[in-house]
Amino acid sequence: MTGAPIDDARETEQRCGFEVYPKRDLTIVRGRGALVWDDAGREYIDCTAGVGVASVGHAHPAVARAVAEQAATLITCPGIFYNDVRARLMRTLVEIAPATLTRVFLCNSGTEANEAALKFARHATGRQRFVCAMRGFHGRTFGALSATHKYRDAFEPLLPGFEFVPFDNLPRLAAALDDDTAAVVLEPVQGEGGVRPASRDYLHGARALCTERGALLIVDEVQTGFCRTGAMFACQHFGIEPDLLCLAKAMGGGVPIGAVLCAEPIAAGVGLHGSTFGGNPLAAAAALATIEALRSEDMAARARRAGERFRERFEAARPARVRELRQLGLMIGIELREKARPHLLALMERGVLALPAGPTVIRLLPPLVITDAQLDAVVEHLHAVLA
Protein backbone atom coordinates (compact mmCIF):
# COMPACT_ATOMS: atom_id res chain seq x y z
CA MET A 1 0.00 0.00 0.00
CA THR A 2 1.67 3.20 -1.18
CA GLY A 3 -0.70 5.72 0.36
CA ALA A 4 -4.26 6.45 1.44
CA PRO A 5 -6.58 8.02 -1.14
CA ILE A 6 -7.20 11.72 -0.66
CA ASP A 7 -10.80 11.21 0.48
CA ASP A 8 -9.49 9.04 3.33
CA ALA A 9 -7.11 11.66 4.73
CA ARG A 10 -9.38 12.82 7.54
CA GLU A 11 -10.21 9.33 8.78
CA THR A 12 -6.59 8.20 8.54
CA GLU A 13 -5.22 11.17 10.50
CA GLN A 14 -7.94 10.76 13.13
CA ARG A 15 -7.16 7.06 13.48
CA CYS A 16 -3.36 7.17 13.28
CA GLY A 17 -2.34 10.58 14.57
CA PHE A 18 -2.25 12.20 17.99
CA GLU A 19 -4.99 14.74 18.52
CA VAL A 20 -2.62 17.53 19.54
CA TYR A 21 -3.95 20.09 17.04
CA PRO A 22 -7.37 21.80 17.07
CA LYS A 23 -8.33 20.38 13.66
CA ARG A 24 -10.55 22.16 11.19
CA ASP A 25 -12.64 20.15 8.75
CA LEU A 26 -10.45 20.91 5.75
CA THR A 27 -7.97 18.84 3.74
CA ILE A 28 -5.45 21.00 1.88
CA VAL A 29 -3.82 19.31 -1.11
CA ARG A 30 -2.19 22.04 -3.22
CA GLY A 31 -0.82 25.57 -3.01
CA ARG A 32 0.51 28.32 -5.25
CA GLY A 33 1.56 31.76 -4.09
CA ALA A 34 -0.91 32.97 -1.46
CA LEU A 35 -3.58 30.44 -2.45
CA VAL A 36 -4.29 26.86 -1.41
CA TRP A 37 -6.90 24.36 -2.61
CA ASP A 38 -8.76 21.65 -0.75
CA ASP A 39 -9.54 18.09 -1.88
CA ALA A 40 -12.81 19.28 -3.45
CA GLY A 41 -10.99 21.88 -5.54
CA ARG A 42 -12.14 24.92 -3.55
CA GLU A 43 -9.73 27.88 -3.41
CA TYR A 44 -8.70 29.71 -0.23
CA ILE A 45 -6.59 32.78 0.48
CA ASP A 46 -4.05 31.42 2.93
CA CYS A 47 -3.32 33.85 5.75
CA THR A 48 -1.69 31.10 7.83
CA ALA A 49 1.23 30.34 5.47
CA GLY A 50 1.98 27.21 7.48
CA VAL A 51 2.10 29.39 10.64
CA GLY A 52 4.38 31.96 9.04
CA VAL A 53 6.46 29.48 7.04
CA ALA A 54 5.53 30.07 3.39
CA SER A 55 6.60 33.71 3.23
CA VAL A 56 7.77 33.45 -0.39
CA GLY A 57 4.50 31.72 -1.25
CA HIS A 58 3.53 28.11 -1.76
CA ALA A 59 5.48 26.22 -4.43
CA HIS A 60 7.82 29.12 -5.22
CA PRO A 61 9.49 28.04 -8.49
CA ALA A 62 13.04 28.84 -7.36
CA VAL A 63 12.65 26.95 -4.09
CA ALA A 64 11.05 23.95 -5.79
CA ARG A 65 13.84 23.91 -8.37
CA ALA A 66 16.57 24.16 -5.74
CA VAL A 67 15.07 21.29 -3.72
CA ALA A 68 14.73 19.07 -6.80
CA GLU A 69 18.28 19.76 -7.99
CA GLN A 70 19.79 19.22 -4.54
CA ALA A 71 17.76 16.03 -3.97
CA ALA A 72 19.35 14.63 -7.12
CA THR A 73 22.84 15.70 -5.95
CA LEU A 74 23.24 15.16 -2.20
CA ILE A 75 20.48 15.14 0.41
CA THR A 76 22.37 14.61 3.66
CA CYS A 77 25.85 15.27 5.00
CA PRO A 78 26.67 15.16 8.73
CA GLY A 79 28.45 17.98 10.48
CA ILE A 80 31.64 15.93 10.84
CA PHE A 81 32.31 16.74 7.16
CA TYR A 82 32.39 20.08 5.37
CA ASN A 83 29.75 20.77 2.73
CA ASP A 84 29.60 23.42 0.03
CA VAL A 85 25.87 24.18 0.27
CA ARG A 86 25.93 24.41 4.06
CA ALA A 87 28.92 26.74 3.87
CA ARG A 88 27.14 29.04 1.40
CA LEU A 89 24.12 29.23 3.68
CA MET A 90 26.24 30.08 6.73
CA ARG A 91 28.02 32.83 4.81
CA THR A 92 24.71 34.22 3.55
CA LEU A 93 23.17 34.29 7.03
CA VAL A 94 26.16 36.18 8.41
CA GLU A 95 25.91 38.67 5.52
CA ILE A 96 22.25 39.52 6.15
CA ALA A 97 22.34 39.48 9.97
CA PRO A 98 23.26 42.29 12.36
CA ALA A 99 27.01 42.87 12.11
CA THR A 100 27.96 41.40 15.51
CA LEU A 101 26.52 37.96 14.65
CA THR A 102 29.32 36.02 12.97
CA ARG A 103 28.79 32.37 14.01
CA VAL A 104 26.00 30.00 12.90
CA PHE A 105 24.56 26.80 14.31
CA LEU A 106 22.09 25.09 11.97
CA CYS A 107 19.23 22.92 13.20
CA ASN A 108 15.71 21.94 12.11
CA SER A 109 13.11 24.11 13.85
CA GLY A 110 12.45 27.13 16.02
CA THR A 111 12.23 25.02 19.15
CA GLU A 112 15.65 23.52 18.39
CA ALA A 113 17.09 26.97 17.76
CA ASN A 114 15.89 28.18 21.15
CA GLU A 115 17.11 25.01 22.88
CA ALA A 116 20.58 25.57 21.40
CA ALA A 117 20.58 29.24 22.37
CA LEU A 118 19.77 28.41 26.00
CA LYS A 119 22.62 25.89 26.14
CA PHE A 120 25.07 28.26 24.46
CA ALA A 121 24.15 31.06 26.89
CA ARG A 122 24.71 28.91 29.97
CA HIS A 123 28.00 27.61 28.61
CA ALA A 124 29.28 31.05 27.59
CA THR A 125 28.41 32.82 30.83
CA GLY A 126 28.74 30.06 33.43
CA ARG A 127 25.44 31.33 34.84
CA GLN A 128 22.16 29.47 35.41
CA ARG A 129 19.15 31.82 35.27
CA PHE A 130 17.03 33.11 32.40
CA VAL A 131 14.62 36.02 32.44
CA CYS A 132 11.73 35.66 29.99
CA ALA A 133 8.59 37.59 29.11
CA MET A 134 5.04 36.83 30.10
CA ARG A 135 2.97 35.76 27.05
CA GLY A 136 6.24 34.72 25.35
CA PHE A 137 6.42 31.58 23.24
CA HIS A 138 9.67 29.82 22.36
CA GLY A 139 8.72 26.20 21.68
CA ARG A 140 7.34 23.02 23.20
CA THR A 141 10.35 20.86 24.10
CA PHE A 142 11.43 20.94 27.74
CA GLY A 143 14.07 23.68 27.56
CA ALA A 144 12.14 25.90 25.16
CA LEU A 145 8.92 25.26 27.07
CA SER A 146 10.66 26.28 30.29
CA ALA A 147 11.21 29.68 28.65
CA THR A 148 7.60 29.80 27.42
CA HIS A 149 4.84 31.37 29.49
CA LYS A 150 1.98 29.15 28.25
CA TYR A 151 1.33 25.45 27.55
CA ARG A 152 3.27 24.60 30.73
CA ASP A 153 0.81 23.31 33.28
CA ALA A 154 0.56 19.67 32.15
CA PHE A 155 4.34 19.23 32.16
CA GLU A 156 5.58 20.88 35.34
CA PRO A 157 8.02 20.72 36.98
CA LEU A 158 10.04 22.05 34.06
CA LEU A 159 13.67 23.15 34.11
CA PRO A 160 14.58 25.37 37.07
CA GLY A 161 16.05 28.84 36.72
CA PHE A 162 13.43 30.58 34.53
CA GLU A 163 11.68 33.75 35.74
CA PHE A 164 8.91 35.63 33.93
CA VAL A 165 8.33 39.37 33.96
CA PRO A 166 5.75 41.52 32.14
CA PHE A 167 6.57 42.19 28.48
CA ASP A 168 7.60 45.75 27.56
CA ASN A 169 8.14 46.70 31.21
CA LEU A 170 11.75 47.80 31.65
CA PRO A 171 11.71 48.40 35.45
CA ARG A 172 10.43 44.86 36.07
CA LEU A 173 13.06 43.46 33.72
CA ALA A 174 15.81 45.40 35.48
CA ALA A 175 14.65 44.16 38.88
CA ALA A 176 14.76 40.53 37.72
CA LEU A 177 18.37 40.56 36.46
CA ASP A 178 21.03 39.44 38.92
CA ASP A 179 24.62 38.22 38.78
CA ASP A 180 23.48 34.67 37.96
CA THR A 181 21.40 35.66 34.92
CA ALA A 182 22.76 33.95 31.82
CA ALA A 183 20.39 35.64 29.37
CA VAL A 184 17.23 37.58 28.74
CA VAL A 185 14.98 35.86 26.18
CA LEU A 186 12.61 38.10 24.17
CA GLU A 187 10.57 38.26 20.98
CA PRO A 188 10.60 41.69 19.31
CA VAL A 189 6.95 40.98 18.44
CA GLN A 190 5.17 38.37 20.51
CA GLY A 191 3.42 36.06 18.06
CA GLU A 192 1.55 33.37 19.98
CA GLY A 193 1.14 35.94 22.74
CA GLY A 194 -1.21 38.05 20.63
CA VAL A 195 0.94 39.87 18.03
CA ARG A 196 2.34 42.41 20.49
CA PRO A 197 5.28 44.54 19.29
CA ALA A 198 7.81 45.71 21.85
CA SER A 199 8.61 49.40 22.12
CA ARG A 200 11.95 50.74 20.91
CA ASP A 201 12.81 52.05 24.38
CA TYR A 202 12.15 48.64 25.92
CA LEU A 203 14.39 46.73 23.52
CA HIS A 204 17.16 49.31 23.75
CA GLY A 205 16.85 49.23 27.52
CA ALA A 206 17.02 45.42 27.54
CA ARG A 207 20.16 45.56 25.40
CA ALA A 208 21.78 48.07 27.74
CA LEU A 209 20.83 46.11 30.87
CA CYS A 210 22.30 42.89 29.49
CA THR A 211 25.54 44.62 28.54
CA GLU A 212 25.80 46.34 31.92
CA ARG A 213 25.13 43.20 33.97
CA GLY A 214 27.03 40.62 31.96
CA ALA A 215 23.97 38.75 30.69
CA LEU A 216 23.37 37.81 27.08
CA LEU A 217 20.39 38.98 25.01
CA ILE A 218 18.63 36.17 23.11
CA VAL A 219 16.19 37.50 20.50
CA ASP A 220 13.70 34.94 19.21
CA GLU A 221 12.82 35.80 15.60
CA VAL A 222 11.46 32.40 14.67
CA GLN A 223 8.20 34.02 13.56
CA THR A 224 9.32 37.60 12.83
CA GLY A 225 12.42 36.80 10.78
CA PHE A 226 12.93 36.84 7.01
CA CYS A 227 10.97 39.97 6.02
CA ARG A 228 7.69 39.16 7.81
CA THR A 229 7.64 42.53 9.60
CA GLY A 230 8.99 44.62 6.73
CA ALA A 231 12.69 44.14 7.51
CA MET A 232 14.88 41.08 7.08
CA PHE A 233 14.84 40.76 10.89
CA ALA A 234 12.53 42.65 13.23
CA CYS A 235 15.40 43.70 15.50
CA GLN A 236 16.61 45.85 12.59
CA HIS A 237 13.48 48.03 12.95
CA PHE A 238 14.61 48.85 16.48
CA GLY A 239 18.35 49.18 15.85
CA ILE A 240 19.44 46.56 18.38
CA GLU A 241 22.03 43.80 18.02
CA PRO A 242 21.39 40.66 20.09
CA ASP A 243 24.04 38.25 21.28
CA LEU A 244 22.06 35.30 19.93
CA LEU A 245 19.39 35.38 17.22
CA CYS A 246 17.04 32.38 16.84
CA LEU A 247 15.56 31.71 13.40
CA ALA A 248 13.40 29.12 11.63
CA LYS A 249 9.90 29.08 10.03
CA ALA A 250 10.23 31.13 6.80
CA MET A 251 13.94 30.39 6.43
CA GLY A 252 13.49 27.34 4.21
CA GLY A 253 10.44 28.30 2.17
CA GLY A 254 8.56 25.37 3.72
CA VAL A 255 11.45 22.93 4.22
CA PRO A 256 12.23 22.42 7.94
CA ILE A 257 15.33 24.35 9.01
CA GLY A 258 16.41 26.53 11.92
CA ALA A 259 19.48 28.46 13.01
CA VAL A 260 21.09 30.28 15.91
CA LEU A 261 23.32 33.20 14.96
CA CYS A 262 25.83 34.13 17.67
CA ALA A 263 28.25 36.91 18.45
CA GLU A 264 31.92 35.97 18.29
CA PRO A 265 32.62 35.54 22.05
CA ILE A 266 29.99 32.77 22.24
CA ALA A 267 31.54 29.41 21.45
CA ALA A 268 30.54 25.78 21.87
CA GLY A 269 33.33 23.23 21.66
CA VAL A 270 33.31 19.77 20.12
CA GLY A 271 30.56 17.58 21.53
CA LEU A 272 28.71 20.30 23.45
CA HIS A 273 25.84 20.32 20.97
CA GLY A 274 24.87 18.77 17.64
CA SER A 275 22.12 17.77 15.24
CA THR A 276 21.91 14.79 12.89
CA PHE A 277 19.88 16.66 10.27
CA GLY A 278 20.95 20.23 11.08
CA GLY A 279 22.43 21.97 8.05
CA ASN A 280 21.66 19.10 5.67
CA PRO A 281 22.27 20.09 2.04
CA LEU A 282 18.61 19.72 1.02
CA ALA A 283 17.34 22.17 3.64
CA ALA A 284 20.34 24.46 3.08
CA ALA A 285 19.60 24.62 -0.66
CA ALA A 286 15.97 25.48 0.06
CA ALA A 287 17.05 28.22 2.48
CA LEU A 288 19.50 29.72 0.00
CA ALA A 289 16.80 29.86 -2.69
CA THR A 290 14.32 31.35 -0.21
CA ILE A 291 16.70 34.07 0.97
CA GLU A 292 17.60 34.92 -2.62
CA ALA A 293 13.90 35.27 -3.46
CA LEU A 294 13.31 37.45 -0.41
CA ARG A 295 16.15 39.75 -1.42
CA SER A 296 15.75 39.83 -5.21
CA GLU A 297 11.99 40.39 -5.01
CA ASP A 298 12.41 42.94 -2.18
CA MET A 299 9.83 41.21 -0.04
CA ALA A 300 10.65 43.37 2.97
CA ALA A 301 9.34 46.38 1.05
CA ARG A 302 6.35 44.33 -0.15
CA ALA A 303 5.53 43.43 3.46
CA ARG A 304 5.72 47.08 4.52
CA ARG A 305 3.50 48.28 1.67
CA ALA A 306 0.99 45.47 2.05
CA GLY A 307 0.83 45.95 5.81
CA GLU A 308 0.12 49.66 5.38
CA ARG A 309 -2.56 48.86 2.78
CA PHE A 310 -4.22 46.38 5.12
CA ARG A 311 -4.23 48.80 8.05
CA GLU A 312 -5.65 51.65 5.99
CA ARG A 313 -8.49 49.57 4.54
CA PHE A 314 -9.33 47.65 7.69
CA GLU A 315 -9.38 50.72 9.92
CA ALA A 316 -11.56 52.63 7.43
CA ALA A 317 -14.52 50.54 8.64
CA ARG A 318 -13.32 48.89 11.83
CA PRO A 319 -16.07 46.67 13.27
CA ALA A 320 -17.24 47.51 16.79
CA ARG A 321 -16.30 44.08 18.16
CA VAL A 322 -12.62 44.83 17.41
CA ARG A 323 -10.73 46.02 20.46
CA GLU A 324 -7.37 46.73 18.78
CA LEU A 325 -5.41 46.17 15.58
CA ARG A 326 -1.71 45.39 16.17
CA GLN A 327 0.53 45.07 13.15
CA LEU A 328 4.10 45.28 11.90
CA GLY A 329 4.48 44.59 8.19
CA LEU A 330 2.43 41.48 7.39
CA MET A 331 2.37 40.24 10.97
CA ILE A 332 -1.16 41.21 11.94
CA GLY A 333 -3.20 40.69 15.10
CA ILE A 334 -6.84 41.70 15.46
CA GLU A 335 -7.90 41.60 19.10
CA LEU A 336 -11.63 41.09 19.59
CA ARG A 337 -13.93 41.75 22.51
CA GLU A 338 -15.00 38.09 22.31
CA LYS A 339 -13.70 34.64 21.34
CA ALA A 340 -11.95 34.47 17.99
CA ARG A 341 -12.56 30.83 17.00
CA PRO A 342 -16.14 31.24 15.67
CA HIS A 343 -14.91 34.04 13.43
CA LEU A 344 -11.96 31.94 12.22
CA LEU A 345 -14.41 29.24 11.15
CA ALA A 346 -16.66 31.83 9.50
CA LEU A 347 -13.68 33.19 7.57
CA MET A 348 -12.84 29.66 6.41
CA GLU A 349 -16.38 29.28 5.08
CA ARG A 350 -15.80 32.45 3.08
CA GLY A 351 -12.48 31.18 1.68
CA VAL A 352 -9.96 32.85 4.01
CA LEU A 353 -7.68 30.84 6.33
CA ALA A 354 -6.44 32.61 9.47
CA LEU A 355 -4.92 31.72 12.84
CA PRO A 356 -5.62 32.44 16.49
CA ALA A 357 -3.08 34.07 18.81
CA GLY A 358 -4.69 33.46 22.15
CA PRO A 359 -8.44 33.10 22.67
CA THR A 360 -9.52 36.55 21.43
CA VAL A 361 -7.01 37.40 18.68
CA ILE A 362 -7.24 36.70 14.94
CA ARG A 363 -3.71 36.41 13.57
CA LEU A 364 -2.88 36.91 9.89
CA LEU A 365 0.49 35.75 8.51
CA PRO A 366 -0.10 35.71 4.76
CA PRO A 367 2.63 34.91 2.25
CA LEU A 368 4.50 38.11 1.44
CA VAL A 369 3.62 37.58 -2.23
CA ILE A 370 -0.09 38.15 -1.53
CA THR A 371 -1.53 40.46 -4.19
CA ASP A 372 -3.36 43.71 -3.52
CA ALA A 373 -6.59 42.15 -4.79
CA GLN A 374 -6.20 39.16 -2.47
CA LEU A 375 -5.40 41.40 0.50
CA ASP A 376 -8.41 43.61 -0.22
CA ALA A 377 -10.59 40.48 -0.39
CA VAL A 378 -9.30 39.43 3.05
CA VAL A 379 -10.27 42.84 4.47
CA GLU A 380 -13.71 42.59 2.86
CA HIS A 381 -14.32 39.15 4.37
CA LEU A 382 -13.07 40.29 7.78
CA HIS A 383 -15.46 43.24 7.75
CA ALA A 384 -18.34 40.95 6.76
CA VAL A 385 -17.58 38.31 9.40
CA LEU A 386 -16.95 40.81 12.20
CA ALA A 387 -19.80 43.18 11.34
Side-chain angles (χ1 to χ4, degrees), residues 202-279:
Y202 175 70
L203 291 175
H204 276 268
R207 174 66 279 177
L209 280 170
C210 288
T211 301
E212 173 190 317
R213 303 191 186 181
L216 299 175
L217 178 61
I218 299 174
V219 171
D220 178 346
E221 293 225 30
V222 169
Q223 190 168 140
T224 55
F226 299 103
C227 301
R228 167 60 56 191
T229 65
M232 183 61 75
F233 303 114
C235 63
Q236 293 167 330
H237 287 294
F238 303 96
I240 62 162
E241 295 189 339
D243 300 296
L244 300 100
L245 181 66
C246 299
L247 306 170
K249 286 195 182 295
M251 182 175 167
V255 175
I257 190 169
V260 185
L261 276 57
C262 304
E264 189 65 37
I266 299 165
V270 173
L272 285 175
H273 201 52
S275 172
T276 297
F277 296 106

Side-chain angles (χ1 to χ4, degrees), residues 19-42:
E19 294 183 0
V20 295
Y21 303 104
K23 289 283 195 183
R24 302 184 200 178
D25 190 20
L26 179 63
T27 301
I28 296 173
V29 298
R30 184 167 63 90
R32 173 70 65 174
L35 301 175
V36 293
W37 288 265
D38 68 13
D39 53 352
R42 186 183 178 192

Side-chain angles (χ1 to χ4, degrees), residues 121-128 180:
R122 275 192 172 172
H123 181 257
T125 62
R127 299 177 175 187
Q128 302 298 312
D180 194 35

